[in-house]
Amino acid sequence: MNDREIVNLFWQRSEQAIKETEQKYGRYCHIIAYNILENSEDSEECVNDTWMSAWNSMPDKRPERLSPFLARITRNFALTKIVRRTAKKRGGGEAELALEELDACLSSDLEKEIEDRELSRAIDAFIGQLPEQEQLVFVSRYWFVATEREIAEKLGLSRSGVSAMLKRTRSKLRTYLLMEG
């Protein structure tokens, strides 16, 4: 089933949408979550949360391609779970809870969102001008959180070559962002 058909199922509120999404993208989303969390149970929870989030957001959104849409949701759930896990180790989760309670009151949220969007556009523009292999390495590492070893195996490169490429690309990105302001 193609993405458009699956999105139509979401819009029709058919439970078949979840089944089709899980069949087509379940492994893909699990890998993204596992690369961040390194825990199968937590990864599975993130994937299930992704399906629920997709279900809840679909009537308002109609993504052309499901893979990046679902990847972003999965990645955000996994990163949130890491933050919570770390916060609990530091203070039983109370620090994070206190900050969450204040979130609704902070006026800088809008400013931060605007800054984040500008930064995202700048990074997208930067990535767009990289050679294809460098794009693949950079996105694999920093979007999909793949290890250097996994990237090297996938692209037929040496691990040290991947490491050096990432270091050079980060340096180029830093220079690019400074020039962009």
Side-chain angles (χ1 to χ4, degrees):
M1 184 169 271
N2 69 36
D3 287 0
R4 181 169 283 134
E5 292 170 326
I6 294 172
V7 169
N8 285 338
L9 289 173
F10 274 105
W11 274 65
Q12 295 166 10
R13 307 312 284 165
S14 169
E15 290 182 21
Q16 186 66 27
I18 301 291
K19 292 175 186 167
E20 294 294 336
T21 303
E22 186 169 17
Q23 182 179 354
K24 187 171 182 179
Y25 293 109
R27 186 171 186 276
Y28 170 73
C29 290
H30 185 81
I31 289 169
I32 292 168
Y34 189 84
N35 283 345
I36 295 169
L37 298 167
E38 297 178 339
N39 179 294
S40 289
E41 292 81 22
D42 287 347
S43 299
E44 191 61 38
E45 185 178 329
C46 284
V47 171
N48 288 333
D49 289 344
T50 298
W51 305 154
M52 181 59 73
S53 181
W55 178 267
N56 290 333
S57 65
M58 262 329 155
D60 297 331
K61 297 178 183 171
R62 189 178 276 274
E64 289 292 318
R65 293 181 48 229
L66 275 176
S67 60
F69 178 77
L70 296 170
R72 183 178 58 243
I73 294 170
T74 303
R75 184 174 182 272
N76 288 341
F77 277 124
L79 291 172
T80 299
K81 191 169 274 300
I82 284 285
V83 168
R84 287 190 177 135
R85 188 187 300 164
T86 305
K88 285 179 183 174
K89 288 179 184 175
R90 280 184 275 141
E94 287 305 310
E96 181 182 284
L97 179 60
L99 290 174
E100 284 179 9
E101 291 169 355
L102 286 176
D103 264 351
C105 303
L106 298 175
S107 63
S108 65
D109 282 350
L110 180 58
E111 292 171 14
K112 182 171 177 7
E113 186 175 327
I114 291 168
E115 287 174 8
D116 288 349
R117 284 184 190 164
E118 289 175 10
L119 179 60
S120 179
R121 283 188 201 114
I123 292 172
D124 286 346
F126 170 77
I127 292 170
Q129 60 190 15
L130 292 174
E132 185 177 350
Q133 189 172 48
E134 209 170 329
Q135 285 180 5
L136 288 171
V137 170
F138 189 84
V139 171
S140 293
R141 177 68 181 137
Y142 298 112
W143 177 259
F144 295 107
V145 197
T147 65
E148 290 177 356
R149 182 185 54 78
E150 291 169 336
I151 297 167
E153 288 174 3
K154 181 179 176 184
L155 299 177
L157 302 169
S158 69
R159 187 181 170 282
S160 61
V162 168
S163 180
M165 186 182 298
L166 286 168
K167 185 176 181 178
R168 284 191 307 271
T169 306
R170 285 191 308 268
S171 178
K172 287 183 206 174
L173 176 60
R174 188 174 8 264
T175 302
Y176 180 83
L177 292 175
L178 288 171
M179 288 173 40
E180 290 293 309

